[in-house]
């Protein structure tokens, strides 16, 4: 693990090719009127798994740290990753597993604040297909929804299949996003099941459109499905940018760690009350609070990477990803705890 000051920022939309991250966007973090400016791209701002991003803004903690953060959103983590790699944003709130995938592609990116130690993901099966899909062993021949191809939901779906004897070529992942687009695909039968998060999960269960097949919203669920803790939601950034903007990264870490601590001492209802009303996705305040309550166990209260988490992620990815299978991954370069330790 690397112990030099690193902290996250997430940002804008851009989908240029995988070129260098360093030079782009550097000027966006220059001090203006005493405030640092940072763009952070989130792989779905209204997803409960990425809740700390907007909650930090709503609590005023970015402002307290003197950093001006512009939160942007893309429907899938892989698109948020692209925005970072192309240099359109300085930080991404997305899954930690992208840092390993990017490293073998020659891009050095690291998690600077680890929001969670479990995926927060749920494999849902349509009520119409529940009789034919009793476990991941039944994925063969099925169309399964993921937020985007190459996304963490895609990664985890492939792992569940391979771990249960189904080759990745024997089922079809379908990019359906999250929220209403996922729900519509389930209703219309264009997918028989899929991996998604709250509040989408809560809405599907409330409308009796599907049933839970695999629940990874808790550390226990992560261990059962993946064999260990699986650090997921994080603030990750280009290492070169972190090294050249340490003061700004520290401010971001201070704000996010403060939010995680706040979350650990407040109820789901209190958290829901701080969030934008439309994040409930039409399910109402009570259902949204229930969605948050179901997902809260995934979050850390200190932003620190769980000790065995990176090794679990590497093992999961190497089980199905040919790019990583025989590659050497330097896990120590995929995250740092220096910033969150200083935040405490």
């Amino acid at each position: 693990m690397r112990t030099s000051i690193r902290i996250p920022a997430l940002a804008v939309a851009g989908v240029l090719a995988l070129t260098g991250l360093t030079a782009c966007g550097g000027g966006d973090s220059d001090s203006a009127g005493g405030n640092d400016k940072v763009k952070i791209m989130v792989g779905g701002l209204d997803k409960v798994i990425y809740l700390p991003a907007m909650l930090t803004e709503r609590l005023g903690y970015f402002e307290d740290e003197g950093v001006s953060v512009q939160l942007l959103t893309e429907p899938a983590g892989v698109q948020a990753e692209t925005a970072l790699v192309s240099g359109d944003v300085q930080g991404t709130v997305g899954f930690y597993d992208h840092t390993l995938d990017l490293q073998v592609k020659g891009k050095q990116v690291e998690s600077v604040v680890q929001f969670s130690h479990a995926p927060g993901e749920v494999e849902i099966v349509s009520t119409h297909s529940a009789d034919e899909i009793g476990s991941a062993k039944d994925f063969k021949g099925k169309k399964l929804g993921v937020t985007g191809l190459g996304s963490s939901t895609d990664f985890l779906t492939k792992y569940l299949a391979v771990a249960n004897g189904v080759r990745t070529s024997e089922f079809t992942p379908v990019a359906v996003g999250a929220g209403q687009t996922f729900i519509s695909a389930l209703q219309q039968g264009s997918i028989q099941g899929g991996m998604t998060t709250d509040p989408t999960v809560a809405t599907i269960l409330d409308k009796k459109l599907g049933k839970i097949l695999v629940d990874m919203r808790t550390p226990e669920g992560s261990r059962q499905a993946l064999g260990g803790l699986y650090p997921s939601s994080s603030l990750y950034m280009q290492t070169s940018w972190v090294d050249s903007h340490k003061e700004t990264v520290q401010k971001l870490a201070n704000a996010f760690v403060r939010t995680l601590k706040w979350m650990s001492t407040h109820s789901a209802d209190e958290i829901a009350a701080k969030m934008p009303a439309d994040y409930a996705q039409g399910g109402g305040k009570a259902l949204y609070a229930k969605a948050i309550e179901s997902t809260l166990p995934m979050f850390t209260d200190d932003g620190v990477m769980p000790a065995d988490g990176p090794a679990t992620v590497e093992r999961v990815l190497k089980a199905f990803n040919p790019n990583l299978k025989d590659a050497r991954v330097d896990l120590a370069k995929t995250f740092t705890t220096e910033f969150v330790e200083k935040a405490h």
Side-chain angles (χ1 to χ4, degrees):
M1 174 201 71
R2 188 180 156 190
T3 351
S4 28
I5 265 190
R6 310 271 159 112
I7 233 182
L10 296 165
V12 140
V15 286
L16 305 176
L18 265 72
T19 52
L21 308 172
T22 310
C24 302
D28 290 327
S29 66
D30 290 342
S31 181
N35 281 0
D36 295 306
K37 293 184 178 180
V38 176
K39 292 177 182 177
I40 294 177
M41 183 63 79
V42 185
L45 259 175
D46 59 353
K47 295 177 184 177
V48 177
I49 58 171
Y50 299 141
L51 180 148
M54 179 56 73
L55 182 58
T56 302
E57 180 177 288
R58 304 281 283 195
L59 291 171
Y61 293 165
F62 291 136
E63 184 178 358
D64 288 351
E65 290 294 328
V67 59
S68 176
V69 174
Q70 181 181 5
L71 295 174
L72 302 158
T73 187
E74 285 284 5
V78 65
Q79 293 161 331
E81 168 200 291
T82 301
L84 179 69
V85 173
S86 67
D88 291 327
V89 300
Q90 290 77 51
T92 293
V93 169
F95 268 39
Y96 161 72
D97 53 22
H98 290 290
T99 67
L100 281 72
D101 187 51
L102 286 170
Q103 187 183 112
V104 300
K105 295 174 181 175
K107 307 298 177 183
Q108 191 56 57
V109 173
E110 63 186 353
S111 165
V112 292
V113 181
Q114 193 59 48
F115 296 165
S116 60
H117 45 201
E121 301 283 353
V122 175
E123 183 70 26
I124 289 277
V125 178
S126 163
T127 16
H128 300 300
S129 303
D131 290 341
E132 47 186 291
I133 306 178
S135 74
K137 294 178 181 178
D138 302 319
F139 282 178
K140 187 174 181 179
K142 302 299 188 295
K143 292 181 179 179
L144 301 174
V146 296
T147 53
L149 301 182
S151 67
S152 295
T153 52
D154 188 23
F155 291 165
L156 290 172
T157 301
K158 286 176 178 174
Y159 175 77
L160 291 178
V162 170
N164 285 275
V166 180
R167 294 192 298 271
T168 57
S169 59
E170 293 181 314
F171 72 95
T172 305
V174 182
V176 293
Q180 191 53 52
T181 54
F182 185 100
I183 294 170
S184 295
L186 203 65
Q187 285 178 304
Q188 295 165 9
S190 48
I191 57 173
Q192 285 79 56
M195 191 169 291
T196 191
T197 60
D198 278 309
T200 307
V201 173
T203 301
I204 290 171
L205 296 179
D206 183 62
K207 294 183 176 181
K208 296 180 171 51
L209 299 174
K211 298 180 179 179
I212 292 177
L213 186 69
V214 181
D215 192 339
M216 296 178 284
R217 291 177 292 186
T218 66
E220 295 75 21
S222 178
R223 291 188 182 99
Q224 184 175 353
L226 307 173
L229 293 179
Y230 194 93
S232 56
S233 307
S234 66
L235 172 60
Y236 66 83
M237 310 178 83
Q238 180 186 2
T239 298
S240 57
W241 198 91
V242 171
D243 288 341
S244 59
H245 298 79
K246 291 186 176 183
E247 290 186 9
T248 302
V249 172
Q250 188 62 60
K251 292 176 182 179
L252 290 169
N254 293 345
F256 280 122
V257 168
R258 189 177 173 191
T259 296
L260 291 169
K261 288 182 177 179
W262 188 93
M263 289 170 61
S264 71
T265 58
H266 288 75
S267 69
D269 286 325
E270 291 171 317
I271 295 170
K274 292 288 184 181
M275 301 300 287
D278 60 344
Y279 281 21
Q281 295 183 1
K285 291 182 180 179
L287 190 61
Y288 183 53
K290 184 178 180 181
I292 292 175
E293 184 176 19
S294 298
T295 306
L296 274 179
M298 74 175 280
F299 293 107
T300 68
D301 61 4
D302 56 10
V304 176
M305 175 68 73
D308 299 329
T312 300
V313 172
E314 181 181 26
R315 176 178 52 77
V316 166
L317 295 182
K318 286 190 171 185
F320 67 86
N321 190 326
N323 294 327
L324 276 91
K325 188 173 183 180
D326 299 316
R328 180 185 176 277
V329 179
D330 189 344
L331 293 177
K333 292 183 178 179
T334 61
F335 71 100
T336 179
T337 61
E338 180 173 347
F339 296 100
V340 294
E341 288 170 358
K342 288 188 175 183
H344 294 304

